[in-house]
């Protein structure tokens, strides 16, 4: 569509003189000559590209994608960095051996040893169990990171604009 390039109407095949029109015809985006565009718009077969309720139906996954952060619910907690020390100190304060604590946590002694030496990070679930058994704190709320989906610029992008911007990025 660069300047000087000849465009042909994708409906009737004739060369487009002047401004090409874009429209969604039967769910497919097409470049049309003025007369096809008007004809199809009048008959209701074509939808303007910029307000395309049809298109939302064509690509439901993209259309449903919300600009709001989506990963927030996945992991609300992270494990503190000094978890090996916290676990070992709490365990020793109770006078428990590795084996005793491992049994209370229903994990292997080898696994607990790896966790206490910092070679293995416990899962969130396991960390919760450790917190309960040892009465210590291992989980901290995760801070929201910047790499969540970029929110749309402030001030007045319509949904249609957002859809178009996203499509152009592909
Ligand atoms: Zn035409």
């Amino acid at each position: 569509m660069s300047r000087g390039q000849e465009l042909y109407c994708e409906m009737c095949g004739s060369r487009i003189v002047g401004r090409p029109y874009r429209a969604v015809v039967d769910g497919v985006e097409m470049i049309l000559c003025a007369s096809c565009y008007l004809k199809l718009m009048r008959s209701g077969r074509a939808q303007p590209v910029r307000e395309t309720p049809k298109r939302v139906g064509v690509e439901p996954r993209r259309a449903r994608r919300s600009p709001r952060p989506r990963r927030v619910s996945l992991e609300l907690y992270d494990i503190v960095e000094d978890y090996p020390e916290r676990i070992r100190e709490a365990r020793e304060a109770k006078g428990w051996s590795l084996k005793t604590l491992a049994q209370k946590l229903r994990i292997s002694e080898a696994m607990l040893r790896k966790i206490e030496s910092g070679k293995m990070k416990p899962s969130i679930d396991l960390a919760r169990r450790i917190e309960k058994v040892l009465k210590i704190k291992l989980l901290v709320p995760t801070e929201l990171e910047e790499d969540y989906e970029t929110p749309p610029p402030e001030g007045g992008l319509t949904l249609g604009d957002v859809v178009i911007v996203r499509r152009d990025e592909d």
Side-chain angles (χ1 to χ4, degrees):
M1 260 180 294
S2 62
R3 198 178 272 260
Q5 194 184 340
E6 292 192 346
L7 281 172
Y8 294 88
C9 172
E10 290 176 14
M11 186 55 68
C12 69
S14 67
R15 193 178 151 209
I16 295 173
V17 182
R19 193 198 140 187
Y21 287 81
R22 289 171 154 269
V24 176
V25 183
D26 299 335
V28 180
E29 196 180 313
M30 292 182 126
I31 295 168
L32 302 170
C33 68
S35 84
C36 285
Y37 179 77
L38 287 175
K39 209 160 64 188
L40 289 163
M41 289 300 284
R42 243 180 249 136
S43 70
R45 244 183 102 191
Q47 313 281 327
V49 172
R50 288 200 169 259
E51 348 163 342
T52 55
K54 270 252 169 82
R55 206 172 170 90
V56 169
V58 171
E59 299 178 57
R61 269 167 56 215
R62 178 159 304 169
R64 233 178 267 138
R65 190 187 278 176
S66 149
R68 278 172 299 176
R70 302 180 71 237
R71 284 197 275 150
V72 171
S73 61
L74 289 183
E75 213 156 271
L76 286 169
Y77 293 96
D78 203 357
I79 292 163
V80 292
E81 280 188 17
D82 61 341
Y83 68 88
E85 292 79 23
R86 292 197 194 193
I87 295 169
R88 197 187 59 243
E89 280 164 19
R91 175 177 62 78
E92 286 172 352
K94 287 182 179 293
W96 292 347
S97 65
L98 274 169
K99 192 178 174 183
T100 305
L101 178 57
Q103 278 171 353
K104 288 178 186 292
L105 295 170
R106 298 187 302 278
I107 61 173
S108 71
E109 198 181 324
M111 190 187 202
L112 180 59
R113 189 172 284 123
K114 277 187 194 168
I115 291 171
E116 283 198 4
S117 62
K119 284 177 192 153
M120 186 183 158
K121 204 170 174 179
S123 68
I124 301 291
D125 273 357
L126 178 55
R128 277 216 183 87
R129 261 155 49 212
I130 299 171
E131 281 188 326
K132 264 187 207 163
V133 170
L134 290 176
K135 298 190 170 53
I136 55 172
K137 194 103 188 81
L138 293 178
L139 294 169
V140 289
T142 309
E143 284 181 29
L144 294 185
E145 285 165 20
E146 293 292 324
D147 67 346
Y148 288 163
E149 287 196 48
T150 316
E154 297 289 321
L157 273 189
T158 66
L159 179 62
D161 288 326
V162 173
V163 169
I164 283 159
V165 168
R166 288 180 177 285
R167 191 181 59 229
D168 288 346
E169 278 169 358
D170 285 350

